[in-house]
Amino acid sequence: GQPRLPWCHVLANPTFGTLVSDKALGFTWAVNARENKLTPWYNDVTSDNRGEMLLLRMDGKLYDTVWGATPTFGEGFARYEGHCGTLNTTVTVSVPAAGMYKRVELELENTTEEEIEVQAAYYTEPVLGVDRRHARHTAARWEDGALLLRNPFAQVHGGMLLTAIGGADGCDCDRGSFLSGNWGGGTLSPVPDPC
């Protein structure tokens, strides 16, 4: 059966890594896993690190592509196979042997003959340091389909970039607005509760 507590898999190289679990996309760091978390890590064995999510929206419904999917962990990758409505989904996560990025690939298979309109969003809760204490100061810039985030209080690196192949269509850095369904509102940080 399925384990009661999250079980995890580390994907890393000497300067960058991510810790994923069987139920979540985990947390990511650059240079130093304690001093420069890009997304949050929670030291709670009964819950999971959900500061990163790949979400789909179809017919007014919201789906987490990883939660409830079947995980496969291998050397250098994590794969999640699941269902979102009438779509079969495959999410593959990897970190290159050299380089400072996390690659998240999404494959969708429509199991019906009907055309389906799908929106995908990658959600993160930026830390850009030790913890989210200074998250409200995170500055964001939207440029050519990429979101650049920077924490002026960071001691190590303090920045990250989020994009999609070909560029993303939009962003929203206000957590409340995003979780209310406003995925492309264009609100940029600094805001009191950024995502």
Side-chain angles (χ1 to χ4, degrees):
Q2 192 80 323
R4 292 184 321 125
L5 303 176
W7 45 280
C8 299
H9 185 55
V10 176
L11 302 168
N13 64 41
T15 59
F16 189 88
T18 189
L19 177 75
V20 297
S21 79
D22 59 326
K23 296 175 181 65
L25 291 174
F27 94 102
T28 303
W29 70 88
V31 182
N32 185 301
R34 182 194 179 279
E35 298 296 320
N36 196 48
K37 296 174 190 79
L38 300 180
T39 57
W41 174 72
Y42 302 104
N43 189 17
D44 182 348
V45 296
T46 61
S47 66
D48 214 337
N49 287 298
R50 299 186 49 81
E52 297 182 45
M53 294 185 282
L54 179 55
L55 304 171
L56 297 182
R57 183 165 48 199
M58 301 175 290
D59 297 324
K61 294 180 183 167
L62 193 63
Y63 299 90
D64 182 332
T65 58
V66 172
W67 190 265
T70 302
T72 303
F73 295 160
E75 189 173 329
F77 76 92
R79 183 169 297 118
Y80 304 88
E81 296 174 289
H83 309 282
C84 294
T86 59
L87 295 177
N88 290 336
T89 61
T90 303
V91 176
T92 305
V93 181
S94 60
V95 169
M100 293 181 64
Y101 65 91
K102 173 178 182 173
R103 183 181 182 110
V104 180
E105 296 178 61
L106 172 64
E107 296 177 41
L108 302 174
E109 178 192 5
N110 187 351
T111 61
T112 71
E113 296 297 318
E114 296 177 30
E115 192 172 296
I116 300 173
E117 186 175 318
V118 180
Q119 290 180 306
Y122 199 80
Y123 170 84
T124 67
E125 295 173 0
V127 174
L128 306 176
V130 176
D131 54 43
R132 279 183 56 87
R133 180 180 41 198
H134 297 296
R136 68 184 181 280
H137 301 294
T138 301
R141 191 170 84 236
W142 178 254
E143 188 175 300
D144 298 326
L147 180 64
L148 294 91
L149 299 168
R150 184 134 193 86
N151 180 350
F153 292 94
Q155 299 294 314
V156 178
H157 190 267
M160 76 175 175
L161 179 140
L162 297 164
T163 192
I165 293 176
D169 294 327
C171 70
D172 197 303
C173 292
D174 184 276
R175 189 168 178 252
S177 175
F178 180 89
L179 294 175
S180 297
N182 189 11
W183 287 3
T187 302
L188 293 175
S189 294
V191 292
D193 189 10
C195 72

